[in-house]
Amino acid sequence: MSERIKNTTCFIRNRLGLVSGEGKECACPRPEVGIVLGSGLGALAEAIEVKAALDYAEIPEFPVSTVAGHRGRFIYGTLAGRPVVAMEGRVHYYEGYAIEEVVLPVRALCGLGIGTLVVSNAAGGLSPLFEAGDIMVIEDHINLIPNPLIGPNDPTLGVRFPDMNEPYDRRLIALAHRVAEEQGTVLREGVYIGGTGPSYETPAEVRYLRTIGGDAVGMSTTPEVIVARHQGVRVLGFSLITNVLTGHPSRLGGGAKLSHDEVIEVGNRATARLSALVAKIVTEF
């Protein structure tokens, strides 16, 4: 896997024009920020001045998303003058990929030299204070997905036992709150729980997740954050609250059932606010 990470990173670097054909650095600057354009951040791609793009399907042995709403490509360019590389869509553990496949794209982002990773996701709200359409900055997480660091450790990527005392950068969280206030956006803060999915949570599971300290629950992100921190990259994360879970069988009211289409619809309504927030934050790192 270590060799595969290196080969994948090299392929992406060359195809995005970050090195010349002779392997020498070209005029294209190293991307400073990596962005995972998950649910709620799709509109941010339109704000990036794209210089190069690469579909996941063009990368040898690269995982490709099977989920609606995840386009599946890398884009390199500038955001408010800052060099960035973004992932339009991600793959998930529930799609049947091994966990090392799930985090391969983020491993590649780190290998391109980013110093900061911004991640986003759609999540169900566990806090009774949340409403559908809220944006939550992630202050910590609980990972219930297999840990991507299980297995042999490559010391060139990171240490065997990485510290996770601050998985999400406190200074970036403070910056997010300041920018949100300036933009008139209500920004929640809380603990994100990453579960395997793909089934939505039962009422009993909702009560359990709330009891162990969760404010929102989703099916991604935590493995990506773990490998980013393993490689010394600081992280800022956001959850777009697409529905609120009460922990009771009638939590959706009137026998209504939660669907992926509903998640996408709520995400689309709030994506402009989250994209504007992240775009401004990136300019002020």
mmCIF file with all atom_site columns, all heavy atoms in Angstrom, residues 11-33:
data_model
loop_
_atom_site.group_PDB
_atom_site.id
_atom_site.type_symbol
_atom_site.label_atom_id
_atom_site.label_alt_id
_atom_site.label_comp_id
_atom_site.label_asym_id
_atom_site.label_entity_id
_atom_site.label_seq_id
_atom_site.pdbx_PDB_ins_code
_atom_site.Cartn_x
_atom_site.Cartn_y
_atom_site.Cartn_z
_atom_site.occupancy
_atom_site.B_iso_or_equiv
_atom_site.pdbx_formal_charge
_atom_site.auth_seq_id
_atom_site.auth_comp_id
_atom_site.auth_asym_id
_atom_site.auth_atom_id
_atom_site.pdbx_PDB_model_num
ATOM 1   N N   . PHE A 1 11 ? 1.138  9.911  -10.056 1.00 0.00 ? 11 PHE A N   1
ATOM 2   C CA  . PHE A 1 11 ? 0.267  9.957  -11.232 1.00 0.00 ? 11 PHE A CA  1
ATOM 3   C C   . PHE A 1 11 ? -0.601 11.211 -11.203 1.00 0.00 ? 11 PHE A C   1
ATOM 4   O O   . PHE A 1 11 ? -0.715 11.934 -12.198 1.00 0.00 ? 11 PHE A O   1
ATOM 5   C CB  . PHE A 1 11 ? -0.613 8.701  -11.266 1.00 0.00 ? 11 PHE A CB  1
ATOM 6   C CG  . PHE A 1 11 ? -1.491 8.607  -12.485 1.00 0.00 ? 11 PHE A CG  1
ATOM 7   C CD1 . PHE A 1 11 ? -1.050 7.962  -13.628 1.00 0.00 ? 11 PHE A CD1 1
ATOM 8   C CD2 . PHE A 1 11 ? -2.764 9.160  -12.487 1.00 0.00 ? 11 PHE A CD2 1
ATOM 9   C CE1 . PHE A 1 11 ? -1.854 7.877  -14.755 1.00 0.00 ? 11 PHE A CE1 1
ATOM 10  C CE2 . PHE A 1 11 ? -3.580 9.085  -13.608 1.00 0.00 ? 11 PHE A CE2 1
ATOM 11  C CZ  . PHE A 1 11 ? -3.122 8.434  -14.753 1.00 0.00 ? 11 PHE A CZ  1
ATOM 12  N N   . ILE A 1 12 ? -1.207 11.474 -10.049 1.00 0.00 ? 12 ILE A N   1
ATOM 13  C CA  . ILE A 1 12 ? -2.073 12.647 -9.915  1.00 0.00 ? 12 ILE A CA  1
ATOM 14  C C   . ILE A 1 12 ? -1.278 13.930 -10.101 1.00 0.00 ? 12 ILE A C   1
ATOM 15  O O   . ILE A 1 12 ? -1.714 14.868 -10.790 1.00 0.00 ? 12 ILE A O   1
ATOM 16  C CB  . ILE A 1 12 ? -2.779 12.639 -8.548  1.00 0.00 ? 12 ILE A CB  1
ATOM 17  C CG1 . ILE A 1 12 ? -3.729 11.437 -8.442  1.00 0.00 ? 12 ILE A CG1 1
ATOM 18  C CG2 . ILE A 1 12 ? -3.547 13.939 -8.306  1.00 0.00 ? 12 ILE A CG2 1
ATOM 19  C CD1 . ILE A 1 12 ? -4.287 11.212 -7.057  1.00 0.00 ? 12 ILE A CD1 1
ATOM 20  N N   . ARG A 1 13 ? -0.088 13.980 -9.504  1.00 0.00 ? 13 ARG A N   1
ATOM 21  C CA  . ARG A 1 13 ? 0.750  15.177 -9.613  1.00 0.00 ? 13 ARG A CA  1
ATOM 22  C C   . ARG A 1 13 ? 1.082  15.472 -11.072 1.00 0.00 ? 13 ARG A C   1
ATOM 23  O O   . ARG A 1 13 ? 1.011  16.618 -11.526 1.00 0.00 ? 13 ARG A O   1
ATOM 24  C CB  . ARG A 1 13 ? 2.031  14.981 -8.797  1.00 0.00 ? 13 ARG A CB  1
ATOM 25  C CG  . ARG A 1 13 ? 2.959  16.196 -8.828  1.00 0.00 ? 13 ARG A CG  1
ATOM 26  C CD  . ARG A 1 13 ? 4.246  15.955 -8.072  1.00 0.00 ? 13 ARG A CD  1
ATOM 27  N NE  . ARG A 1 13 ? 4.018  15.863 -6.648  1.00 0.00 ? 13 ARG A NE  1
ATOM 28  C CZ  . ARG A 1 13 ? 4.245  14.784 -5.915  1.00 0.00 ? 13 ARG A CZ  1
ATOM 29  N NH1 . ARG A 1 13 ? 4.697  13.669 -6.504  1.00 0.00 ? 13 ARG A NH1 1
ATOM 30  N NH2 . ARG A 1 13 ? 4.042  14.784 -4.617  1.00 0.00 ? 13 ARG A NH2 1
ATOM 31  N N   . ASN A 1 14 ? 1.434  14.450 -11.814 1.00 0.00 ? 14 ASN A N   1
ATOM 32  C CA  . ASN A 1 14 ? 1.784  14.642 -13.221 1.00 0.00 ? 14 ASN A CA  1
ATOM 33  C C   . ASN A 1 14 ? 0.581  15.047 -14.056 1.00 0.00 ? 14 ASN A C   1
ATOM 34  O O   . ASN A 1 14 ? 0.659  15.958 -14.877 1.00 0.00 ? 14 ASN A O   1
ATOM 35  C CB  . ASN A 1 14 ? 2.399  13.360 -13.787 1.00 0.00 ? 14 ASN A CB  1
ATOM 36  C CG  . ASN A 1 14 ? 3.883  13.244 -13.487 1.00 0.00 ? 14 ASN A CG  1
ATOM 37  O OD1 . ASN A 1 14 ? 4.715  13.834 -14.163 1.00 0.00 ? 14 ASN A OD1 1
ATOM 38  N ND2 . ASN A 1 14 ? 4.208  12.490 -12.454 1.00 0.00 ? 14 ASN A ND2 1
ATOM 39  N N   . ARG A 1 15 ? -0.562 14.399 -13.842 1.00 0.00 ? 15 ARG A N   1
ATOM 40  C CA  . ARG A 1 15 ? -1.740 14.677 -14.651 1.00 0.00 ? 15 ARG A CA  1
ATOM 41  C C   . ARG A 1 15 ? -2.335 16.050 -14.350 1.00 0.00 ? 15 ARG A C   1
ATOM 42  O O   . ARG A 1 15 ? -2.986 16.651 -15.213 1.00 0.00 ? 15 ARG A O   1
ATOM 43  C CB  . ARG A 1 15 ? -2.786 13.582 -14.428 1.00 0.00 ? 15 ARG A CB  1
ATOM 44  C CG  . ARG A 1 15 ? -2.417 12.247 -15.048 1.00 0.00 ? 15 ARG A CG  1
ATOM 45  C CD  . ARG A 1 15 ? -2.342 12.328 -16.575 1.00 0.00 ? 15 ARG A CD  1
ATOM 46  N NE  . ARG A 1 15 ? -3.631 12.682 -17.141 1.00 0.00 ? 15 ARG A NE  1
ATOM 47  C CZ  . ARG A 1 15 ? -4.569 11.793 -17.466 1.00 0.00 ? 15 ARG A CZ  1
ATOM 48  N NH1 . ARG A 1 15 ? -4.344 10.501 -17.295 1.00 0.00 ? 15 ARG A NH1 1
ATOM 49  N NH2 . ARG A 1 15 ? -5.728 12.186 -17.967 1.00 0.00 ? 15 ARG A NH2 1
ATOM 50  N N   . LEU A 1 16 ? -2.134 16.536 -13.136 1.00 0.00 ? 16 LEU A N   1
ATOM 51  C CA  . LEU A 1 16 ? -2.624 17.865 -12.795 1.00 0.00 ? 16 LEU A CA  1
ATOM 52  C C   . LEU A 1 16 ? -1.624 18.963 -13.164 1.00 0.00 ? 16 LEU A C   1
ATOM 53  O O   . LEU A 1 16 ? -1.880 20.141 -12.955 1.00 0.00 ? 16 LEU A O   1
ATOM 54  C CB  . LEU A 1 16 ? -2.957 17.955 -11.301 1.00 0.00 ? 16 LEU A CB  1
ATOM 55  C CG  . LEU A 1 16 ? -4.147 17.119 -10.825 1.00 0.00 ? 16 LEU A CG  1
ATOM 56  C CD1 . LEU A 1 16 ? -4.367 17.319 -9.328  1.00 0.00 ? 16 LEU A CD1 1
ATOM 57  C CD2 . LEU A 1 16 ? -5.426 17.479 -11.592 1.00 0.00 ? 16 LEU A CD2 1
ATOM 58  N N   . GLY A 1 17 ? -0.471 18.538 -13.669 1.00 0.00 ? 17 GLY A N   1
ATOM 59  C CA  . GLY A 1 17 ? 0.511  19.515 -14.131 1.00 0.00 ? 17 GLY A CA  1
ATOM 60  C C   . GLY A 1 17 ? 1.358  20.117 -13.044 1.00 0.00 ? 17 GLY A C   1
ATOM 61  O O   . GLY A 1 17 ? 1.907  21.201 -13.211 1.00 0.00 ? 17 GLY A O   1
ATOM 62  N N   . LEU A 1 18 ? 1.489  19.402 -11.928 1.00 0.00 ? 18 LEU A N   1
ATOM 63  C CA  . LEU A 1 18 ? 2.283  19.945 -10.833 1.00 0.00 ? 18 LEU A CA  1
ATOM 64  C C   . LEU A 1 18 ? 3.767  19.669 -11.019 1.00 0.00 ? 18 LEU A C   1
ATOM 65  O O   . LEU A 1 18 ? 4.595  20.208 -10.306 1.00 0.00 ? 18 LEU A O   1
ATOM 66  C CB  . LEU A 1 18 ? 1.803  19.361 -9.496  1.00 0.00 ? 18 LEU A CB  1
ATOM 67  C CG  . LEU A 1 18 ? 0.334  19.641 -9.165  1.00 0.00 ? 18 LEU A CG  1
ATOM 68  C CD1 . LEU A 1 18 ? -0.025 19.061 -7.799  1.00 0.00 ? 18 LEU A CD1 1
ATOM 69  C CD2 . LEU A 1 18 ? 0.047  21.132 -9.175  1.00 0.00 ? 18 LEU A CD2 1
ATOM 70  N N   . VAL A 1 19 ? 4.120  18.793 -11.975 1.00 0.00 ? 19 VAL A N   1
ATOM 71  C CA  . VAL A 1 19 ? 5.523  18.570 -12.325 1.00 0.00 ? 19 VAL A CA  1
ATOM 72  C C   . VAL A 1 19 ? 5.608  18.488 -13.833 1.00 0.00 ? 19 VAL A C   1
ATOM 73  O O   . VAL A 1 19 ? 4.638  18.224 -14.529 1.00 0.00 ? 19 VAL A O   1
ATOM 74  C CB  . VAL A 1 19 ? 6.089  17.267 -11.708 1.00 0.00 ? 19 VAL A CB  1
ATOM 75  C CG1 . VAL A 1 19 ? 6.133  17.348 -10.212 1.00 0.00 ? 19 VAL A CG1 1
ATOM 76  C CG2 . VAL A 1 19 ? 5.271  16.049 -12.160 1.00 0.00 ? 19 VAL A CG2 1
ATOM 77  N N   . SER A 1 20 ? 6.785  18.709 -14.359 1.00 0.00 ? 20 SER A N   1
ATOM 78  C CA  . SER A 1 20 ? 6.986  18.626 -15.802 1.00 0.00 ? 20 SER A CA  1
ATOM 79  C C   . SER A 1 20 ? 7.194  17.187 -16.221 1.00 0.00 ? 20 SER A C   1
ATOM 80  O O   . SER A 1 20 ? 7.308  16.287 -15.394 1.00 0.00 ? 20 SER A O   1
ATOM 81  C CB  . SER A 1 20 ? 8.209  19.462 -16.203 1.00 0.00 ? 20 SER A CB  1
ATOM 82  O OG  . SER A 1 20 ? 9.380  18.880 -15.653 1.00 0.00 ? 20 SER A OG  1
ATOM 83  N N   . GLY A 1 21 ? 7.270  16.953 -17.507 1.00 0.00 ? 21 GLY A N   1
ATOM 84  C CA  . GLY A 1 21 ? 7.471  15.597 -18.004 1.00 0.00 ? 21 GLY A CA  1
ATOM 85  C C   . GLY A 1 21 ? 8.786  14.999 -17.558 1.00 0.00 ? 21 GLY A C   1
ATOM 86  O O   . GLY A 1 21 ? 8.944  13.787 -17.495 1.00 0.00 ? 21 GLY A O   1
ATOM 87  N N   . GLU A 1 22 ? 9.775  15.854 -17.274 1.00 0.00 ? 22 GLU A N   1
ATOM 88  C CA  . GLU A 1 22 ? 11.073 15.354 -16.802 1.00 0.00 ? 22 GLU A CA  1
ATOM 89  C C   . GLU A 1 22 ? 11.084 15.148 -15.300 1.00 0.00 ? 22 GLU A C   1
ATOM 90  O O   . GLU A 1 22 ? 12.097 14.770 -14.729 1.00 0.00 ? 22 GLU A O   1
ATOM 91  C CB  . GLU A 1 22 ? 12.183 16.344 -17.181 1.00 0.00 ? 22 GLU A CB  1
ATOM 92  C CG  . GLU A 1 22 ? 12.409 16.495 -18.685 1.00 0.00 ? 22 GLU A CG  1
ATOM 93  C CD  . GLU A 1 22 ? 11.317 17.311 -19.353 1.00 0.00 ? 22 GLU A CD  1
ATOM 94  O OE1 . GLU A 1 22 ? 10.745 18.202 -18.683 1.00 0.00 ? 22 GLU A OE1 1
ATOM 95  O OE2 . GLU A 1 22 ? 11.026 17.056 -20.529 1.00 0.00 ? 22 GLU A OE2 1
ATOM 96  N N   . GLY A 1 23 ? 9.966  15.417 -14.650 1.00 0.00 ? 23 GLY A N   1
ATOM 97  C CA  . GLY A 1 23 ? 9.900  15.204 -13.218 1.00 0.00 ? 23 GLY A CA  1
ATOM 98  C C   . GLY A 1 23 ? 10.328 16.398 -12.403 1.00 0.00 ? 23 GLY A C   1
ATOM 99  O O   . GLY A 1 23 ? 10.406 16.338 -11.188 1.00 0.00 ? 23 GLY A O   1
ATOM 100 N N   . LYS A 1 24 ? 10.611 17.526 -13.069 1.00 0.00 ? 24 LYS A N   1
ATOM 101 C CA  . LYS A 1 24 ? 11.022 18.726 -12.348 1.00 0.00 ? 24 LYS A CA  1
ATOM 102 C C   . LYS A 1 24 ? 9.812  19.587 -12.018 1.00 0.00 ? 24 LYS A C   1
ATOM 103 O O   . LYS A 1 24 ? 8.834  19.597 -12.749 1.00 0.00 ? 24 LYS A O   1
ATOM 104 C CB  . LYS A 1 24 ? 12.020 19.528 -13.187 1.00 0.00 ? 24 LYS A CB  1
ATOM 105 C CG  . LYS A 1 24 ? 13.308 18.774 -13.491 1.00 0.00 ? 24 LYS A CG  1
ATOM 106 C CD  . LYS A 1 24 ? 14.235 19.620 -14.343 1.00 0.00 ? 24 LYS A CD  1
ATOM 107 C CE  . LYS A 1 24 ? 15.509 18.854 -14.666 1.00 0.00 ? 24 LYS A CE  1
ATOM 108 N NZ  . LYS A 1 24 ? 16.422 19.648 -15.515 1.00 0.00 ? 24 LYS A NZ  1
ATOM 109 N N   . GLU A 1 25 ? 9.904  20.297 -10.930 1.00 0.00 ? 25 GLU A N   1
ATOM 110 C CA  . GLU A 1 25 ? 8.801  21.175 -10.537 1.00 0.00 ? 25 GLU A CA  1
ATOM 111 C C   . GLU A 1 25 ? 8.570  22.241 -11.605 1.00 0.00 ? 25 GLU A C   1
ATOM 112 O O   . GLU A 1 25 ? 9.510  22.839 -12.124 1.00 0.00 ? 25 GLU A O   1
ATOM 113 C CB  . GLU A 1 25 ? 9.125  21.873 -9.201  1.00 0.00 ? 25 GLU A CB  1
ATOM 114 C CG  . GLU A 1 25 ? 9.204  20.929 -8.017  1.00 0.00 ? 25 GLU A CG  1
ATOM 115 C CD  . GLU A 1 25 ? 7.865  20.303 -7.687  1.00 0.00 ? 25 GLU A CD  1
ATOM 116 O OE1 . GLU A 1 25 ? 6.823  20.907 -7.971  1.00 0.00 ? 25 GLU A OE1 1
ATOM 117 O OE2 . GLU A 1 25 ? 7.850  19.184 -7.150  1.00 0.00 ? 25 GLU A OE2 1
ATOM 118 N N   . CYS A 1 26 ? 7.306  22.437 -11.972 1.00 0.00 ? 26 CYS A N   1
ATOM 119 C CA  . CYS A 1 26 ? 6.977  23.444 -12.970 1.00 0.00 ? 26 CYS A CA  1
ATOM 120 C C   . CYS A 1 26 ? 6.440  24.688 -12.279 1.00 0.00 ? 26 CYS A C   1
ATOM 121 O O   . CYS A 1 26 ? 6.510  24.819 -11.066 1.00 0.00 ? 26 CYS A O   1
ATOM 122 C CB  . CYS A 1 26 ? 5.963  22.899 -13.980 1.00 0.00 ? 26 CYS A CB  1
ATOM 123 S SG  . CYS A 1 26 ? 4.329  22.630 -13.257 1.00 0.00 ? 26 CYS A SG  1
ATOM 124 N N   . ALA A 1 27 ? 5.876  25.604 -13.070 1.00 0.00 ? 27 ALA A N   1
ATOM 125 C CA  . ALA A 1 27 ? 5.423  26.875 -12.530 1.00 0.00 ? 27 ALA A CA  1
ATOM 126 C C   . ALA A 1 27 ? 4.197  26.737 -11.639 1.00 0.00 ? 27 ALA A C   1
ATOM 127 O O   . ALA A 1 27 ? 3.890  27.636 -10.867 1.00 0.00 ? 27 ALA A O   1
ATOM 128 C CB  . ALA A 1 27 ? 5.132  27.832 -13.672 1.00 0.00 ? 27 ALA A CB  1
ATOM 129 N N   . CYS A 1 28 ? 3.461  25.625 -11.763 1.00 0.00 ? 28 CYS A N   1
ATOM 130 C CA  . CYS A 1 28 ? 2.257  25.454 -10.957 1.00 0.00 ? 28 CYS A CA  1
ATOM 131 C C   . CYS A 1 28 ? 2.634  25.313 -9.488  1.00 0.00 ? 28 CYS A C   1
ATOM 132 O O   . CYS A 1 28 ? 3.387  24.399 -9.134  1.00 0.00 ? 28 CYS A O   1
ATOM 133 C CB  . CYS A 1 28 ? 1.478  24.230 -11.413 1.00 0.00 ? 28 CYS A CB  1
ATOM 134 S SG  . CYS A 1 28 ? 0.910  24.305 -13.113 1.00 0.00 ? 28 CYS A SG  1
ATOM 135 N N   . PRO A 1 29 ? 2.145  26.185 -8.630  1.00 0.00 ? 29 PRO A N   1
ATOM 136 C CA  . PRO A 1 29 ? 2.532  26.118 -7.220  1.00 0.00 ? 29 PRO A CA  1
ATOM 137 C C   . PRO A 1 29 ? 1.945  24.911 -6.511  1.00 0.00 ? 29 PRO A C   1
ATOM 138 O O   . PRO A 1 29 ? 0.902  24.386 -6.901  1.00 0.00 ? 29 PRO A O   1
ATOM 139 C CB  . PRO A 1 29 ? 1.972  27.424 -6.646  1.00 0.00 ? 29 PRO A CB  1
ATOM 140 C CG  . PRO A 1 29 ? 0.827  27.757 -7.541  1.00 0.00 ? 29 PRO A CG  1
ATOM 141 C CD  . PRO A 1 29 ? 1.238  27.299 -8.910  1.00 0.00 ? 29 PRO A CD  1
ATOM 142 N N   . ARG A 1 30 ? 2.632  24.470 -5.491  1.00 0.00 ? 30 ARG A N   1
ATOM 143 C CA  . ARG A 1 30 ? 2.140  23.364 -4.674  1.00 0.00 ? 30 ARG A CA  1
ATOM 144 C C   . ARG A 1 30 ? 0.824  23.761 -4.017  1.00 0.00 ? 30 ARG A C   1
ATOM 145 O O   . ARG A 1 30 ? 0.695  24.860 -3.496  1.00 0.00 ? 30 ARG A O   1
ATOM 146 C CB  . ARG A 1 30 ? 3.173  23.042 -3.579  1.00 0.00 ? 30 ARG A CB  1
ATOM 147 C CG  . ARG A 1 30 ? 2.710  22.026 -2.541  1.00 0.00 ? 30 ARG A CG  1
ATOM 148 C CD  . ARG A 1 30 ? 3.745  21.849 -1.444  1.00 0.00 ? 30 ARG A CD  1
ATOM 149 N NE  . ARG A 1 30 ? 4.025  23.096 -0.746  1.00 0.00 ? 30 ARG A NE  1
ATOM 150 C CZ  . ARG A 1 30 ? 3.288  23.586 0.237   1.00 0.00 ? 30 ARG A CZ  1
ATOM 151 N NH1 . ARG A 1 30 ? 2.198  22.937 0.645   1.00 0.00 ? 30 ARG A NH1 1
ATOM 152 N NH2 . ARG A 1 30 ? 3.614  24.717 0.808   1.00 0.00 ? 30 ARG A NH2 1
ATOM 153 N N   . PRO A 1 31 ? -0.187 22.880 -4.045  1.00 0.00 ? 31 PRO A N   1
ATOM 154 C CA  . PRO A 1 31 ? -1.453 23.216 -3.378  1.00 0.00 ? 31 PRO A CA  1
ATOM 155 C C   . PRO A 1 31 ? -1.265 23.319 -1.870  1.00 0.00 ? 31 PRO A C   1
ATOM 156 O O   . PRO A 1 31 ? -0.648 22.458 -1.248  1.00 0.00 ? 31 PRO A O   1
ATOM 157 C CB  . PRO A 1 31 ? -2.371 22.042 -3.742  1.00 0.00 ? 31 PRO A CB  1
ATOM 158 C CG  . PRO A 1 31 ? -1.439 20.912 -4.056  1.00 0.00 ? 31 PRO A CG  1
ATOM 159 C CD  . PRO A 1 31 ? -0.227 21.551 -4.669  1.00 0.00 ? 31 PRO A CD  1
ATOM 160 N N   . GLU A 1 32 ? -1.758 24.405 -1.298  1.00 0.00 ? 32 GLU A N   1
ATOM 161 C CA  . GLU A 1 32 ? -1.630 24.617 0.139   1.00 0.00 ? 32 GLU A CA  1
ATOM 162 C C   . GLU A 1 32 ? -2.777 23.969 0.921   1.00 0.00 ? 32 GLU A C   1
ATOM 163 O O   . GLU A 1 32 ? -2.614 23.600 2.078   1.00 0.00 ? 32 GLU A O   1
ATOM 164 C CB  . GLU A 1 32 ? -1.610 26.123 0.443   1.00 0.00 ? 32 GLU A CB  1
ATOM 165 C CG  . GLU A 1 32 ? -0.456 26.866 -0.226  1.00 0.00 ? 32 GLU A CG  1
ATOM 166 C CD  . GLU A 1 32 ? -0.570 28.371 -0.036  1.00 0.00 ? 32 GLU A CD  1
ATOM 167 O OE1 . GLU A 1 32 ? -1.447 28.813 0.734   1.00 0.00 ? 32 GLU A OE1 1
ATOM 168 O OE2 . GLU A 1 32 ? 0.213  29.109 -0.668  1.00 0.00 ? 32 GLU A OE2 1
ATOM 169 N N   . VAL A 1 33 ? -3.933 23.873 0.270   1.00 0.00 ? 33 VAL A N   1
ATOM 170 C CA  . VAL A 1 33 ? -5.132 23.383 0.941   1.00 0.00 ? 33 VAL A CA  1
ATOM 171 C C   . VAL A 1 33 ? -5.759 22.264 0.123   1.00 0.00 ? 33 VAL A C   1
ATOM 172 O O   . VAL A 1 33 ? -5.884 22.364 -1.101  1.00 0.00 ? 33 VAL A O   1
ATOM 173 C CB  . VAL A 1 33 ? -6.173 24.517 1.124   1.00 0.00 ? 33 VAL A CB  1
ATOM 174 C CG1 . VAL A 1 33 ? -7.399 24.006 1.880   1.00 0.00 ? 33 VAL A CG1 1
ATOM 175 C CG2 . VAL A 1 33 ? -5.544 25.700 1.842   1.00 0.00 ? 33 VAL A CG2 1
#
